[in-house]
Amino acid sequence: MVLNQVLEKKEEISQYLANLVELHGKALSDVNSASQVSHIRKDITICLNDLCRINDLLVSHDGLLKREIGSLLRDKQDLLDLNQSEQLLWKERESWDIEQEADTAQVDYVIDKNAIISISSHYRSSLNKYIESVGAENTVLSFADDSNPRIEETQNMNFSADQMTHNYKLLQLTHRQAKSEIIKLETLLRDFKKDDKFIQQELKRQSGRIHSEIGNIDFHLSKIEESKIQLMKRIGFESPLTQEKSLSEKLFNIRLSGTDDNQSERETITKRNFVHMKDLIELRIDSLQEQLSENKNETSTLVSQCDLWMNCQRKVRDLENELITKLQKTTNSRISTNEMTEMIKSTIQYLNSLLDSSDAELTTTLISNERDVLSKACEELSAEATAPRGNQNTMPSKPIDIHKSGNNSKADSNLKQLATPPFLVASKSPPKIGMSKSIIDTNKNGSISKKVD
């Protein structure tokens, strides 16, 4: 993300600036490092301006922090909308449940009295008369083998021809009645089987329609889950669901691939993920808003630091340029010690006024370093002024490091060296600003480059 890269670059510049402040103090107090002072001052200026530019990128009207907060607010609303749609779909899916047993299902129906079918058995009356006439012991029910001729002979001994004829006719009537009623029952059974076949076909057709609706709901659930996974990736949230293979397929065929327990577990994970994602987004929004507020307050501080440091450099550079000019105009390349002391004290007084206006530790340290080296120069000049006359012609051991153009190199070589601290080392050109909106690289790498001339 561009925001993270900008924040990382800001931290890098801040750390680099802290190192420069330390080097600045050492270079001013070390004669051997005098030539590095101007470069260090220039780098400090670049860093301060870069921090101002970065801060402006973060807190401006369309700054990165506001953009990121707006993006997270949209993500939060998307999450709420997805969760609401998902809950409605799960509720609708439960209404299509056909897995419960038919005998436990609440089915509304009305008992039709005309649909009641009574089964008759008129043949039993004739059959009972026959059994009473011949006696149960004289029927096949009492003999294991009714084909034995002796059994038939015994049965016929006690009955006359009329009785046997009557019994025979009674059996014929019973047979006709039983056969008629069997035919009726078989017809009824065929009708039942036909109705049952129709019912089975309709069950299959309706089941297909219901499963089609459930499949359509599962499809929309899978789309919602895919959107949630993309949202998880954007906010950096990891979920167990994102690690499954063929997630859309599993959701689409959830009725086939998962049991009720698995479905319940998935719903539980989904609800838990929603809570965690919502909390994470809100935490990030609160953190960014707090950071935005801090950076807004930091804006005036950075601008003030930059102005104070520029004024400090300008004043010190003016002092150095004025001393160089006076040395060049003096015939013997020497100026009065008292005059130099007054010029330096005037600069020290100005730097003290800058310190009174500084509330930041960084600029206070930088200006104090510049002031301290000037104060040391005043002490050395005062010591030289109070030294015996015989020692005034003695060459000092500390050189003046004055950078001039090549045309004046001979004049520079004729200048007599005076004992002075390295504050005279100064760059003639104004400092370059290394950070600007035009060179903020917001390409796919999102890097921020800083040009240092």
Side-chain angles (χ1 to χ4, degrees), residues 179-193:
K179 188 175 181 179
S180 175
E181 291 176 359
I182 288 173
I183 291 173
K184 291 180 181 179
L185 290 176
E186 287 177 345
T187 302
L188 181 61
L189 181 61
R190 283 196 301 269
D191 291 340
F192 280 0
K193 289 182 176 181

Side-chain angles (χ1 to χ4, degrees), residues 182-301:
I182 288 173
I183 291 173
K184 291 180 181 179
L185 290 176
E186 287 177 345
T187 302
L188 181 61
L189 181 61
R190 283 196 301 269
D191 291 340
F192 280 0
K193 289 182 176 181
K194 184 178 178 181
D195 290 344
D196 183 61
K197 184 177 180 180
F198 168 77
I199 292 171
Q200 290 180 8
Q201 291 176 344
E202 286 299 305
L203 276 174
K204 184 177 181 180
R205 192 166 66 94
Q206 293 297 331
S207 176
R209 291 181 177 180
I210 292 174
H211 283 103
S212 177
E213 293 294 333
I214 293 176
N216 185 46
I217 295 174
D218 289 339
F219 174 77
H220 289 292
L221 283 173
S222 69
K223 290 299 182 182
I224 290 178
E225 194 65 35
E226 289 176 359
S227 299
K228 289 174 67 177
I229 290 175
Q230 294 299 322
L231 182 59
M232 291 177 189
K233 292 179 180 179
R234 286 204 303 271
I235 66 176
F237 178 79
E238 290 294 334
S239 166
L241 294 179
T242 60
Q243 301 174 1
E244 294 184 4
K245 296 182 180 179
S246 304
L247 175 60
S248 299
E249 181 179 357
K250 285 188 176 182
L251 284 172
F252 185 72
N253 299 308
I254 191 171
R255 59 183 174 83
L256 300 176
S257 63
T259 62
D260 293 338
D261 292 339
N262 291 335
Q263 179 176 333
S264 177
E265 181 181 358
R266 183 178 293 275
E267 289 186 63
T268 301
I269 293 176
T270 299
K271 292 178 181 179
R272 186 168 62 246
N273 285 345
F274 166 73
V275 175
H276 292 337
M277 290 173 65
K278 183 173 176 291
D279 291 343
L280 177 60
I281 293 175
E282 290 176 347
L283 285 174
R284 293 190 62 184
I285 291 176
D286 292 341
S287 176
L288 289 174
Q289 286 179 338
E290 182 179 355
Q291 188 174 353
L292 177 63
S293 177
E294 291 177 356
N295 284 16
K296 283 183 177 180
N297 295 332
E298 189 180 2
T299 298
S300 59
T301 302

